[in-house]
Short mmCIF file of all heavy atoms in Angstrom, two decimals:
data_model
loop_
_atom_site.label_atom_id
_atom_site.label_comp_id
_atom_site.label_asym_id
_atom_site.label_seq_id
_atom_site.Cartn_x
_atom_site.Cartn_y
_atom_site.Cartn_z
N GLY A 395 -2.19 -4.60 5.48
CA GLY A 395 -2.14 -5.14 4.11
C GLY A 395 -3.05 -6.31 3.87
O GLY A 395 -3.46 -6.56 2.74
N GLU A 396 -3.37 -7.06 4.87
CA GLU A 396 -4.23 -8.24 4.72
C GLU A 396 -4.68 -8.64 6.13
O GLU A 396 -4.10 -8.19 7.11
CB GLU A 396 -3.46 -9.39 4.05
CG GLU A 396 -2.12 -9.59 4.71
CD GLU A 396 -1.27 -10.68 4.08
OE1 GLU A 396 -1.83 -11.74 3.76
OE2 GLU A 396 -0.07 -10.48 3.97
N PRO A 397 -5.70 -9.49 6.18
CA PRO A 397 -6.12 -9.93 7.51
C PRO A 397 -4.96 -10.63 8.23
O PRO A 397 -4.23 -11.41 7.60
CB PRO A 397 -7.25 -10.91 7.23
CG PRO A 397 -7.73 -10.58 5.84
CD PRO A 397 -6.52 -10.07 5.11
N ASP A 419 -3.51 -3.57 14.46
CA ASP A 419 -3.81 -4.06 13.12
C ASP A 419 -4.59 -2.96 12.43
O ASP A 419 -5.66 -2.57 12.89
CB ASP A 419 -4.63 -5.35 13.23
CG ASP A 419 -5.09 -5.86 11.87
OD1 ASP A 419 -4.53 -5.43 10.84
OD2 ASP A 419 -6.02 -6.69 11.85
N THR A 420 -4.05 -2.45 11.33
CA THR A 420 -4.63 -1.26 10.69
C THR A 420 -5.27 -1.62 9.37
O THR A 420 -4.61 -2.15 8.48
CB THR A 420 -3.54 -0.21 10.45
OG1 THR A 420 -2.57 -0.74 9.54
CG2 THR A 420 -2.84 0.17 11.75
N TRP A 422 -6.98 -0.32 5.94
CA TRP A 422 -7.20 0.81 5.03
C TRP A 422 -6.83 0.37 3.63
O TRP A 422 -6.56 -0.82 3.42
CB TRP A 422 -6.41 2.05 5.47
CG TRP A 422 -4.91 1.89 5.59
CD1 TRP A 422 -4.24 1.08 6.46
CD2 TRP A 422 -3.91 2.54 4.82
NE1 TRP A 422 -2.89 1.20 6.27
CE2 TRP A 422 -2.65 2.10 5.27
CE3 TRP A 422 -3.93 3.48 3.78
CZ2 TRP A 422 -1.45 2.53 4.71
CZ3 TRP A 422 -2.75 3.93 3.25
CH2 TRP A 422 -1.52 3.46 3.71
N GLN A 423 -6.85 1.29 2.67
CA GLN A 423 -6.63 0.94 1.26
C GLN A 423 -5.95 2.09 0.53
O GLN A 423 -5.96 3.23 1.00
CB GLN A 423 -7.98 0.75 0.55
CG GLN A 423 -8.95 -0.16 1.22
CD GLN A 423 -10.26 -0.21 0.47
OE1 GLN A 423 -10.95 0.80 0.34
NE2 GLN A 423 -10.62 -1.38 -0.03
N THR A 424 -5.44 1.78 -0.67
CA THR A 424 -4.91 2.82 -1.55
C THR A 424 -5.95 3.95 -1.66
O THR A 424 -5.62 5.13 -1.60
CB THR A 424 -4.63 2.25 -2.95
OG1 THR A 424 -3.78 1.11 -2.81
CG2 THR A 424 -3.96 3.28 -3.85
N ASP A 508 -14.37 -5.11 0.69
CA ASP A 508 -13.95 -6.08 1.70
C ASP A 508 -15.16 -6.63 2.45
O ASP A 508 -16.11 -5.90 2.73
CB ASP A 508 -13.04 -5.41 2.74
CG ASP A 508 -11.60 -5.36 2.27
OD1 ASP A 508 -10.96 -6.41 2.24
OD2 ASP A 508 -11.13 -4.26 1.93
N LEU A 520 -12.04 -8.22 9.67
CA LEU A 520 -12.00 -8.21 8.21
C LEU A 520 -11.97 -9.63 7.69
O LEU A 520 -11.26 -10.49 8.25
CB LEU A 520 -10.75 -7.47 7.73
CG LEU A 520 -10.85 -5.95 7.55
CD1 LEU A 520 -12.08 -5.60 6.70
CD2 LEU A 520 -10.89 -5.22 8.85
N ARG A 523 -11.32 -9.90 0.56
CA ARG A 523 -12.01 -9.22 -0.54
C ARG A 523 -13.25 -9.99 -0.96
O ARG A 523 -13.28 -11.21 -0.92
CB ARG A 523 -11.08 -9.12 -1.75
CG ARG A 523 -9.82 -8.33 -1.52
CD ARG A 523 -10.00 -6.86 -1.43
NE ARG A 523 -10.72 -6.28 -2.53
CZ ARG A 523 -10.80 -4.94 -2.72
NH1 ARG A 523 -10.19 -4.10 -1.89
NH2 ARG A 523 -11.47 -4.46 -3.72
N ASN A 529 -5.11 -10.79 -2.92
CA ASN A 529 -4.15 -10.14 -2.04
C ASN A 529 -3.01 -11.13 -1.81
O ASN A 529 -3.13 -12.07 -1.05
CB ASN A 529 -4.85 -9.76 -0.73
CG ASN A 529 -3.99 -8.84 0.10
OD1 ASN A 529 -2.76 -8.95 0.10
ND2 ASN A 529 -4.63 -7.92 0.82
N ARG A 534 -1.99 -6.05 -3.96
CA ARG A 534 -3.26 -6.23 -4.64
C ARG A 534 -3.04 -6.61 -6.09
O ARG A 534 -2.34 -5.95 -6.81
CB ARG A 534 -4.03 -4.92 -4.59
CG ARG A 534 -4.97 -4.87 -3.45
CD ARG A 534 -5.45 -3.48 -3.27
NE ARG A 534 -6.47 -3.15 -4.25
CZ ARG A 534 -7.21 -2.05 -4.14
NH1 ARG A 534 -7.03 -1.23 -3.13
NH2 ARG A 534 -8.13 -1.79 -5.03
C1 WTA B 13 -6.58 -5.52 2.49
C2 WTA B 13 -2.97 -1.40 1.66
C3 WTA B 13 -7.44 -7.01 6.54
C4 WTA B 13 -8.04 -5.26 2.19
C5 WTA B 13 -2.98 -0.41 2.84
C6 WTA B 13 -8.00 -3.96 1.43
C7 WTA B 13 -6.51 -5.60 4.98
C8 WTA B 13 -6.73 -4.09 0.64
C9 WTA B 13 -5.86 -4.88 6.01
C10 WTA B 13 -6.12 -2.78 0.30
C11 WTA B 13 -6.05 -5.32 7.36
C12 WTA B 13 -5.40 -3.97 4.09
N1 WTA B 13 -6.85 -6.39 7.57
N2 WTA B 13 -7.30 -6.66 5.26
N3 WTA B 13 -5.46 -4.72 8.38
N4 WTA B 13 -5.18 -3.87 5.42
N5 WTA B 13 -6.18 -5.02 3.82
O1 WTA B 13 -4.82 -0.80 -1.56
O2 WTA B 13 -8.55 -6.30 1.40
O3 WTA B 13 -2.73 -2.21 -1.23
O4 WTA B 13 -9.12 -3.77 0.61
O5 WTA B 13 -3.75 -0.89 0.63
O6 WTA B 13 -5.85 -4.84 1.48
O7 WTA B 13 -4.86 -2.95 -0.30
P1 WTA B 13 -3.99 -1.70 -0.69
#
Side-chain angles (χ1 to χ4, degrees):
E396 48 182 318
D419 175 17
T420 63
W422 58 296
Q423 310 177 297
T424 306
D508 276 288
L520 272 310
R523 299 287 308 190
N529 192 326
R534 266 167 77 168

